[in-house]
Amino acid sequence: MTFHHLMLFLHLLGVTVWVGGMAFAWGCLRPAAMALPPAQRLALWAAVLRTFFALVWAAIGLILLSGISMLLEVGMAGAPKAWHLMALTGAVMIAVFVSIWFGPWRALRAAVAREDWAQGAIAMQRIRARVAFNLALGIATIALATLGLGW
Ligand code: HEM
């Protein structure tokens, strides 16, 4: 096993947790949670996202550290075009996550704490839209990182 193999493993571990978690939230938990009354639904999302978002921070750390170290092995100039594009779309995904963290995620926690379900529903709708965007971009990034190597 080389250092590169270890970095690739950590990179894909981070990607699996982040993109897989978004797919589960969007495709499995969201449809089931829609059947609940607002108070229960928003409290459930606040509890689930608290754990998931902590995992996403860890995944971002792994993805960035491993991705940058693999890029530095060959240098930006020597890297395939697909790697450049991955770094770009990955950076957009991180920016979107940071915008969720400091925006609607804070609003959702505050609304749930004061049992303001109307504001909570608005915050949750914003989180949902941005997670859907990041899920689509995450899938596109995986396609770029793999299928894009043939360009
Ligand atoms: C944000 C900065 C990122 C950087 C600097 C980066 C960099 C890299 C590099 C240099 C490799 C090449 C490993 C190799 O081919 O041996 C790689 C592989 C890979 N990356 Fe990223 N990456 C980033 C983000 C992401 C994100 C957000 C995803 C997915 C959502 C992703 C998915 C992948 C996949 C699936 C591979 C394996 C394909 C391959 O071996 O080429 N990366 N990444």
Side-chain angles (χ1 to χ4, degrees):
M1 181 186 70
T2 64
F3 179 73
H4 186 92
H5 294 147
L6 178 64
M7 289 301 108
L8 192 54
F9 165 69
L10 295 176
H11 198 69
L12 294 183
L13 187 62
V15 168
T16 304
V17 167
W18 191 3
V19 180
M22 290 192 292
F24 170 78
W26 179 262
C28 307
L29 189 54
R30 189 184 56 94
M34 265 178 344
L36 296 172
Q40 283 177 34
R41 181 166 49 87
L42 293 167
L44 174 71
W45 275 117
V48 168
L49 293 180
R50 182 184 300 277
T51 311
F52 178 55
F53 285 170
L55 283 175
V56 173
W57 278 118
I60 287 175
L62 279 181
I63 291 169
L64 273 181
L65 276 176
S66 56
I68 290 169
S69 86
M70 288 187 289
L71 261 184
L72 291 179
E73 282 171 26
V74 294
M76 284 303 273
K81 211 188 297 174
W83 292 15
H84 287 251
L85 287 172
M86 175 183 359
L88 179 69
T89 55
V92 174
M93 286 178 68
I94 293 168
V96 170
F97 176 70
V98 170
S99 84
I100 293 172
W101 179 265
F102 288 106
W105 169 233
R106 283 190 169 183
L108 175 67
R109 278 183 304 169
V112 169
R114 49 173 207 276
E115 302 190 356
D116 181 346
W117 309 123
Q119 286 303 314
I122 292 171
M124 193 57 225
Q125 176 53 37
R126 291 186 177 139
I127 293 175
R128 200 165 21 239
R130 290 182 213 183
V131 168
F133 176 83
N134 253 2
L135 175 58
L137 195 55
I139 292 168
T141 304
I142 294 171
L144 264 177
T146 52
L147 308 174
L149 288 175
W151 296 343

